[in-house]
Amino acid sequence: MDLQALQISPWAITLIVAVVSACLCATILFTLLKTGLAWRLATDVPNDRSLHVRPTPRVGGWGIVPVVVVIMLLMAPTLWCAGLATAFLAAVSQVDDRRGLPARLRFVAHLAAVLLFVVLFPAAAPWWLLCMLAVLMVWLVNLYNFMDGADGLAGGMALFGFSAYAIAALICNHPMAELALASAAIAAAAVGFLLFNFYPARIFLGDAGSISLGFLAGALGYWGWRGGEWPIWFPAMIFSPFIADASVTLARRLLRGERFWQAHREHYYQRMVRSGIGHAKTALTWYVLMVAGIMLACCALGRSVIFQSCVLAVWIAVLCTAGALVDLRWRRFQSTLSDN
């Protein structure tokens, strides 16, 4: 959409799109809950690896994905491929939510969506770098799903992460206003979802929601880098709390020879909940961490390479310290259980 032809400030129309997105998402989810349809679409039944104790509908994706895809196709047509790929992944993931799909089939779907996007819209970079980025984007799709296990956590990451994309796109350049509109729509849809997902959650995101958000985090991050709006490290730093937790947990499980694709309760956020911090305080603690990283990342944009490198080094140290503190608390908690 040509914003200049409308003679409306990109900031104003982005805000309007965000409000519409949040209202539509909240309305859809409220309707699903009110009519009872949410329970028939997909329900998460607790097991020994769950952090919740009551069966809960997994329909967050039903509110987020349709709203975001329609807004992207109407307001950000240059991102049509990302929108259609998101709809495809949501459809495959909904089948997985309902009936369960083999991990290989899910992986093929994730890989196909990412490769299609990168092949159709290649950046001016060496082929090997594009291949590496495609692999990292597939990992982001899956790790977002892994990190969807505590009330308010994945929705909060979407709210803050895509808000950062929107702000950075608007500040850097008006030609990237479509990227800002798409990002704002996703962040606002997350607000509509969080109204029902913050502790105690009435609905969960489900694979249809988490897989879609993971793909969009990678796809829009790649799009902004491809368009020169931010350096390659920016999307990674924005979503670094999720990336760090999932990657370290995966590495530990691989070293122990465990099947990393199986559900478990060893993520840092899961240990925080299980050690007595609880869902609400865990989510709020992560929100503070997310916002701190986003503020540092945005402040580093446009600065010298040395300044950006220093910011990255400081942030890595912060994440390592946060992880060490959680590990220390977990060991003390385990020791208390052993003594009892």
Side-chain angles (χ1 to χ4, degrees):
M1 176 171 288
D2 188 354
L3 299 181
Q4 292 182 347
L6 294 176
Q7 296 184 340
I8 301 176
S9 163
W11 289 89
I13 197 167
T14 300
L15 179 60
I16 294 172
V17 167
V19 172
V20 171
S21 178
C23 292
L24 288 176
C25 180
T27 299
I28 292 172
L29 295 178
F30 175 79
T31 302
L32 292 178
L33 285 172
K34 195 70 173 177
T35 60
L37 184 58
W39 299 91
R40 296 194 290 272
L41 290 173
T43 301
D44 193 316
V45 179
N47 54 48
D48 58 350
R49 296 184 178 91
S50 302
L51 294 179
H52 62 289
V53 296
R54 296 182 304 176
T56 306
R58 294 190 294 177
V59 295
W62 280 80
I64 294 174
V65 174
V67 171
V68 167
V69 170
V70 169
I71 289 178
M72 288 177 67
L73 293 178
L74 292 178
M75 306 296 293
T78 57
L79 286 164
W80 63 269
C81 184
L84 294 181
T86 300
F88 164 72
L89 290 176
V92 172
S93 300
Q94 176 59 27
V95 175
D96 185 43
D97 279 335
R98 282 292 300 265
R99 307 180 185 279
L101 290 175
R104 291 181 180 179
L105 183 58
R106 298 198 305 268
F107 176 78
V108 169
H110 304 163
L111 183 61
V114 169
L115 287 180
L116 177 66
F117 187 69
V118 174
V119 169
L120 289 180
F121 300 97
W127 67 267
W128 57 265
L129 178 57
L130 296 181
C131 289
M132 287 181 59
L133 290 176
V135 171
L136 292 175
M137 288 168 66
V138 172
W139 171 229
L140 186 57
V141 170
N142 286 274
L143 75 82
Y144 211 103
N145 186 37
F146 296 158
M147 294 297 291
D148 176 32
D151 296 355
L153 190 63
M157 184 77 260
L159 166 60
F160 297 118
F162 288 102
S163 292
Y165 279 2
I167 293 172
L170 285 171
I171 290 176
C172 291
N173 210 342
H174 282 180
M176 295 302 287
E178 287 193 9
L179 175 59
L181 290 172
S183 300
I186 301 166
V191 173
F193 166 69
L194 282 170
L195 294 176
F196 306 94
N197 180 250
F198 198 80
Y199 182 81
R202 297 171 60 190
I203 60 173
F204 292 156
L205 195 54
D207 286 1
S210 61
I211 293 295
S212 299
L213 288 175
F215 171 76
L216 287 168
L220 298 193
Y222 169 83
W223 191 267
W225 169 70
R226 175 179 176 271
E229 296 309 297
W230 47 61
I232 198 168
W233 57 263
F234 182 75
M237 186 168 174
I238 292 299
F239 289 92
S240 59
F242 269 30
I243 295 172
D245 187 322
S247 299
V248 171
T249 302
L250 172 66
R252 286 175 170 175
R253 289 174 63 80
L254 288 175
L255 290 173
R256 292 196 295 265
E258 298 175 359
R259 297 178 179 179
F260 67 88
W261 60 86
Q262 291 184 340
H264 59 87
R265 298 200 298 175
E266 298 180 15
H267 285 287
Y268 282 95
Y269 75 87
Q270 291 171 322
R271 291 184 170 184
M272 290 173 68
V273 174
R274 294 172 63 195
S275 63
I277 296 178
H279 283 268
K281 290 184 178 179
T282 295
L284 292 173
T285 301
W286 275 74
Y287 290 176
V288 172
L289 189 65
M290 294 171 190
V291 171
I294 288 169
M295 291 177 64
L296 283 174
C298 290
C299 287
L301 285 178
R303 302 295 185 93
S304 67
V305 174
I306 294 178
F307 184 88
Q308 293 179 0
S309 299
C310 290
V311 168
L312 286 172
V314 169
W315 185 239
I316 290 172
V318 169
L319 291 178
C320 290
T321 301
L325 290 174
V326 175
D327 283 336
L328 178 61
R329 179 183 177 89
W330 180 248
R331 287 194 294 269
R332 289 177 176 175
F333 175 71
Q334 291 290 84
S335 177
T336 301
L337 291 180
S338 299
D339 293 340
N340 293 336

